[in-house]
Amino acid sequence: MSRVVITGYGINSSFGFGADSLQKGLEQNRSGICRVDELLKCNGLQSKIAACAGEYNINVIPRLHRRSMGRVAHLGALAALEAVEHCGATPAMITGPRAGCIMSSTMGSASELYGTFDTIFTEKNMSSVSGMQFFKCASHTVAMNVAQMLGIRGSVLSPSAACASSMQAIGLGFQLIRGGILDMAFCGGAEEVNSMVVGSFESIFAAAPPSRNDDPETASRPFDARRDGLVCGEGAGVIVLESLDSALARNASILGEVVGYNTSASGSHISQSDSSAIRDCINAALHDAGISPREIDYVSAHATGTVQGDASEAEALRQVFGGRVPVSSLKGGLGHTMGASGAIELAACLMMMRDGVIYPTRNLEQPAEDCSGLNHIRQQTLAEINCFIKNCFAFGGINAVLVCRRFNA
Amino acid sequence: MTDSDIRSKIKEVFVKNFELDENIIQDDKLLFDDLGLDSLDIVDLIVGLQRVFKIDLRKYSEIKSIRTFGDVCNVMNKIIKEQPDEMNKIIDGHK
């Protein structure tokens, strides 16, 4: 089996465009959450806040590729372009048969879906719908558009699994490279904020309540005693996975090694997370890596700030790690970037491992009783990280956990 | 609507949908080879023209014969002139 290393990434989020903006935002413990005009205009939607990625110059993507992209694919494509530059792979390698693109999102472009149905319902004429709408609205819109833009000829896959989407994409890429199917894969996900997206969480009382609208920066409170729901975030992350042989052959910079992965489900409830299923997923990922819980130096939690979800994750972490391992969630400032969160937060973990620092859980003032017993990181902390896990959980009872470590030849 | 009005509106569709410089859109320009369009762009060209001229173009077989910008103008002129007077009033009102 091939060893799998990370040789690049590209990131955008409410902190800005480019991986450096993520690092700076985390270092400054910023919040990207604010009131959003589109949400303010939406009747019946109580939550008016989100962490949006802002505007960007999309013209860097040629029209023939850009025309089939909605906002979610734009964000994914921008992250992919950065990842290509960061990893330094040649065009010949990227367009060769052993390079793949595995990217996902919670769904196709929400704004384009809205626009398509608006056209159909108001004009009552299907022939008014642009031929591009399918490519913007399809569930694999990010994967297919990014793959076309990069000229990918190997596997193009899109394991859509809501908020675990990009982690499943990375995990699948890891498995395909480890198994010798691919040499390189651009893996990750993207997400755009739209009233439909926020409304889907609000409808099941998982979104931050309207009382949070007046103080957006403190609204997302993972593990906190006063947490009361998540805040949606926007962005994209692309992680370049590569076989160790390939990376060494081209003298690539190696940012970390992926050593284990598991995705599994609870089989118990479509929206509520299950601590025993999370525990089993973490243990299975550690087993896959051949690493004991004692070797883990940091846990990048999924924790989104929902009452039930954070408590379930905390319970699972207590069972696996006890109270020793430092834990933080980056969603206090970034919001929940859903299908992109796995890739964005994995890149943040790699930066933390590189820089010897753990970024804290923003807005975690008083750990909730049901989230206690963990080594919560509440302020920036110097720490040597040699091995970490990144958790992602999703509607459908779906869990995904990745184990990474510092690369040692 | 005069031929010139029709041509001008068609040109606007090309500029808006395909980000083309207005000056390169000439009658003899081939849609694919000269203007860089492809088959998917033709779908959006038809949708864009339908939106401007309020005509369901898919039922006119001539639309499938367009090769140049001049062809588009000629076909649209012919189709628009085949429309009932009432329809032409709507088209004119859309100016």
Side-chain angles (χ1 to χ4, degrees):
Chain A
M1 290 201 297
S2 297
R3 290 173 69 182
V4 180
V5 294
I6 296 169
T7 55
Y9 46 66
I11 302 294
N12 50 69
S13 72
S14 57
F15 291 167
F17 288 81
D20 287 349
S21 66
L22 176 67
Q23 192 271 332
K24 286 192 179 81
L26 292 169
E27 187 174 40
Q28 295 162 4
N29 204 18
R30 278 182 54 205
S31 170
I33 298 169
C34 59
R35 289 169 77 91
V36 177
D37 286 346
E38 187 207 327
L39 304 180
L40 290 169
K41 292 176 197 161
C42 184
N43 291 332
L45 187 68
Q46 304 301 315
S47 183
K48 305 294 187 186
I49 57 177
C52 293
E55 296 307 313
Y56 44 83
N57 176 20
I58 201 61
N59 290 334
V60 297
I61 301 169
R63 184 190 73 84
L64 282 177
H65 294 305
R66 180 170 21 100
R67 65 181 176 168
S68 51
M69 298 178 181
R71 182 170 173 86
V72 68
H74 288 159
L75 295 172
L78 291 172
L81 289 174
E82 184 190 3
V84 166
E85 189 175 340
H86 191 203
C87 76
T90 62
M93 183 176 183
I94 293 169
T95 60
R98 290 180 60 81
C101 177
I102 309 172
M103 291 190 69
S104 306
S105 54
T106 295
M107 57 187 193
S109 171
S111 55
E112 297 293 343
L113 280 161
Y114 190 98
T116 301
F117 288 118
D118 188 47
T119 299
I120 293 169
F121 293 145
T122 55
E123 299 190 21
K124 301 193 187 313
N125 184 352
M126 280 298 296
S127 73
S128 297
V129 176
S130 160
M132 296 300 162
Q133 291 310 100
F134 168 76
F135 305 102
K136 297 175 179 178
C137 298
S139 60
H140 66 313
T141 183
V142 181
M144 70 170 154
N145 274 295
V146 169
Q148 285 291 318
M149 181 186 72
L150 298 183
I152 296 286
R153 298 179 66 201
S155 304
V156 177
L157 300 160
S158 188
S160 179
C163 303
S165 292
S166 61
M167 185 51 71
Q168 283 202 339
I170 293 163
L172 182 55
F174 165 64
Q175 291 171 331
L176 289 173
I177 294 171
R178 183 168 67 173
I181 307 294
L182 295 175
D183 289 333
M184 168 181 265
F186 293 85
C187 302
E191 209 67 73
E192 70 178 62
V193 164
N194 174 276
S195 51
M196 277 201 301
V197 176
V198 177
S200 66
F201 286 104
E202 187 169 291
S203 67
I204 57 168
F205 301 102
S211 58
R212 295 289 182 193
N213 289 338
D214 293 333
D215 193 5
E217 295 194 356
T218 65
S220 178
R221 312 179 66 83
F223 296 127
D224 189 68
R226 293 194 294 133
R227 72 188 189 280
D228 45 15
L230 63 82
V231 179
C232 291
E234 199 173 50
V238 174
I239 305 290
V240 184
L241 300 182
E242 194 167 350
S243 70
L244 177 60
D245 289 346
S246 170
L248 291 175
R250 66 184 187 89
N251 200 26
S253 294
I254 295 176
L255 312 173
E257 180 173 7
V258 183
V259 289
Y261 170 69
N262 184 259
T263 183
S264 48
S266 69
S268 60
H269 198 281
I270 198 154
S271 67
Q272 306 254 310
S273 51
D274 179 316
S275 62
S276 64
I278 293 170
R279 176 202 63 208
D280 292 347
C281 187
I282 294 171
N283 280 329
L286 292 171
H287 179 76
D288 187 47
I291 281 177
S292 80
R294 289 188 303 279
E295 295 175 77
I296 297 297
D297 301 312
Y298 171 62
V299 173
S300 176
H302 178 72
T304 62
T306 62
V307 173
Q308 195 270 338
D310 289 11
S312 294
E313 184 173 15
E315 170 64 21
L317 293 176
R318 278 192 300 269
Q319 289 183 23
V320 177
F321 299 106
R324 179 193 62 84
V325 182
V327 176
S328 71
S329 163
L330 303 179
K331 296 184 177 72
L334 288 167
H336 185 7
T337 55
M338 302 172 281
S341 64
I344 292 173
E345 294 171 20
L346 174 58
C349 292
L350 294 167
M351 294 170 187
M352 289 190 241
M353 185 163 71
R354 176 194 65 196
D355 299 337
V357 63
I358 297 175
Y359 295 121
T361 304
R362 195 179 197 280
N363 299 323
L364 175 52
E365 294 175 354
Q366 175 62 49
E369 192 173 329
D370 56 5
C371 299
S372 64
L374 298 176
N375 183 4
H376 285 295
I377 300 302
R378 294 165 57 194
Q379 56 188 350
Q380 191 170 310
T381 302
L382 296 177
E384 182 174 321
I385 300 172
N386 288 304
C387 199
F388 66 85
I389 67 166
K390 172 79 211 99
N391 291 344
C392 284
F393 314 131
F395 283 154
I398 297 167
N399 305 313
V401 175
L402 195 77
V403 186
C404 295
R405 71 181 173 201
R406 187 183 299 278
F407 172 68
N408 289 305
Chain B
M1 186 181 287
T2 66
D3 289 4
S4 172
D5 289 339
I6 292 169
R7 177 179 302 272
S8 171
K9 287 188 174 300
I10 293 171
K11 200 172 261 192
E12 283 176 22
V13 172
F14 273 78
V15 170
K16 182 181 168 200
N17 279 23
F18 310 122
E19 301 173 12
L20 294 168
D21 182 337
E22 192 175 344
N23 296 320
I24 71 161
I25 307 171
Q26 304 293 335
D27 277 4
D28 61 341
K29 295 294 183 188
L30 290 160
L31 301 181
F32 285 12
D33 293 343
D34 297 330
L35 299 182
L37 276 56
D38 67 6
S39 57
L40 280 174
D41 285 326
I42 299 304
V43 175
D44 271 6
L45 173 63
I46 292 170
V47 171
L49 293 171
Q50 286 187 157
R51 199 172 287 277
V52 169
F53 294 105
K54 307 290 183 197
I55 300 170
D56 183 357
L57 295 173
R58 289 171 189 260
K59 65 184 181 188
Y60 293 92
S61 59
E62 303 97 300
I63 204 73
K64 294 178 185 164
S65 67
I66 54 173
R67 298 288 179 273
T68 65
F69 178 73
D71 292 343
V72 178
C73 294
N74 291 336
V75 166
M76 287 307 299
N77 264 312
K78 179 171 178 294
I79 291 173
I80 288 167
K81 283 174 180 147
E82 286 174 8
Q83 301 305 304
D85 286 347
E86 282 303 309
M87 181 59 77
N88 275 312
K89 283 179 192 168
I90 293 171
I91 295 169
D92 283 342
H94 192 69
K95 278 182 192 176

